[in-house]
Amino acid sequence: MHSNIFFPSLPCFHQGRCVVNLKNLKMTSKQTEPVTFISLRKLSLGSPEPQLKEQKTFTVEDAVETIGFGRFHIALFLIMGSTGVAEAMEIMLIAVVSPVIRCEWQLENWQVALVTTMVFFGYMIFSILFGLLADRYGRWKILLISFLWGAYFSLLTSFSPSYIWFVFLRTMVGCGVSGHAQGLIIKTEFLPTKYRGYMLPLSQVFWLVGSLLIIGLASVVVPTIGWRWLIRIASIPGIVLILAFKFIPESARFNVSTGNTQAALATLQHIARMNRSALPEGRLVEPVLEKRGRFADLLGAKYLRTTLQIWVIWLGISFAYYGVILASTELLERDLVCGSRSESSAVAVPVEASEESQSPCHCHLFAASDYRTMIISTVGEIALNPLNILGINFLGRRLSLSITMGCTALFFLLLNICTSSSGLIGFLFMLRALVAANFNTIYIYTAEVYPTTMRALGMGISGSLCRIGAMVAPFISQVQPRGLCREGGSKGHMGKRSPGSLWVEGVSKDLCISCVFSGCRRWRIGQGKG
């Protein structure tokens, strides 16, 4: 006999009810008490499984911020910052060598300007190429290749047999120098956020050191053993840095973004040990992104407006920066704003020289006073660094750059004032300080506004387009004033409103407009991290 009996007192596991079968077994005739077996059809006695504790994770950004600033970052700052020394020496070399090669090869004005233009043309083309390669194969590799390339062709330049070879080899040097920007990217990706606004502007010190070093060397080497030995000596810092790069690892952000998490973790552990710090708890994670370093991403809907406006700003700043550097020598040598250069200060030329070669517009070597003037104006590049650092960190990148670019435009207009040589040096000093501050700020902003996957490409293309301004500057700063010099009279004698003065007025207004327009563009793009 079967019957279903429900026991409410038993624990229930089958839809809230316990179903029990009673089986009556055979009983002896004298037994009256039934014996039953109770079997449970469905009974689950298992206990619920305990929940696994979620494992902690951290990103490279978290690790960099947790490790903090320490000995590694000091070494990084010194080694990567020194790339600015090598770059400044190679770029400024043309400014101090131009008068010598003009005399040696009897060059026309446009030929002298073409040397600088071709250097920046090579810089422009290879900035894009190196940016693409750096986003795909790593910042450190491209930085090393660029230094090897630059040092090799720089040494070859010192053996140039003719003007054509000189232009070609300096163009190759410009191609190599374009990869030096990867040093800034490596610094940016290893520095904690709160230190970027302080450390990156201080890198301007290295550019200043390189500029002063090449000017000082030129004042001693060129008159004694010649410009070829100056080029060879200028290659030494780049060669030394190649040996120092082994102490700097590949960017951890780059490694983890390409899926090489183990290499990134090893780098972060090394940094933590050097800084006597520790990594965050957990596992290093970051999504692997398949699309890397695509030009289309820069012009996509998300970054189109920012990218175009950054390009305009870079072009304006570069035009102003290299314009004032190349124009300063022309202004100071011939007092193109006011007055005239005395005959006693002119460099003596051989009596048998032709009438054309006696013209100061054709062949004029730098005197000791010219080198001193260049040094004074160059020192101006660091004069506003403390204020620039405070502005970047407390006013923000956007407002800080807008202020310095507005002031740059103002001082370009002040060049039209008829003043003494000392007053002109003061204006040039402030202009060098302001344009250097502009470069500091836009470098930081550009490095921060783009993500890791396109940062090197964004910096590379911005840097290459800014060289358009640098390519135009020599023809504005060097060709026009010398042509006007010939029209203004022999031996540089000019009146108060000479053609040279008109040139200063025109060029300064052009540069002023460029700065104002770029500054207005700057107001319309978003604020960088900070």
Side-chain angles (χ1 to χ4, degrees), residues 3 24 45 57 181 199 201 203 275 308 469 511 518:
S3 64
N24 294 328
L45 298 177
T57 60
M199 300 304 295
S203 299
N275 289 4
L308 293 178
L511 296 171
S518 299

Side-chain angles (χ1 to χ4, degrees), residues 78-148:
L78 293 176
I79 295 176
M80 292 293 99
S82 296
T83 61
V85 175
E87 183 176 357
M89 293 183 71
E90 294 293 353
I91 295 298
M92 296 296 294
L93 180 69
I94 301 301
V96 295
V97 168
S98 292
V100 187
I101 63 172
R102 173 193 294 272
C103 294
E104 180 171 329
W105 288 321
Q106 297 294 298
L107 302 180
E108 298 293 333
N109 301 329
W110 66 268
Q111 291 176 308
V112 177
L114 183 64
V115 176
T116 305
T117 297
M118 291 305 296
V119 169
F120 288 118
F121 176 76
Y123 196 118
M124 178 183 68
I125 299 301
F126 270 69
S127 285
I128 300 175
L129 178 61
F130 281 149
L132 284 167
L133 295 176
D135 277 335
R136 291 180 180 274
Y137 302 107
R139 287 83 162 97
W140 189 90
K141 297 182 184 70
I142 298 304
L143 183 63
L144 179 64
I145 291 173
S146 70
F147 266 84
L148 289 170

Side-chain angles (χ1 to χ4, degrees), residues 394-416:
F394 293 100
L395 298 179
R397 281 64 160 150
R398 179 176 60 186
L399 181 58
S400 177
L401 184 57
S402 299
I403 292 173
T404 55
M405 294 196 74
C407 292
T408 303
L410 175 63
F411 273 91
F412 271 122
L413 288 178
L414 291 177
L415 286 179
N416 296 296

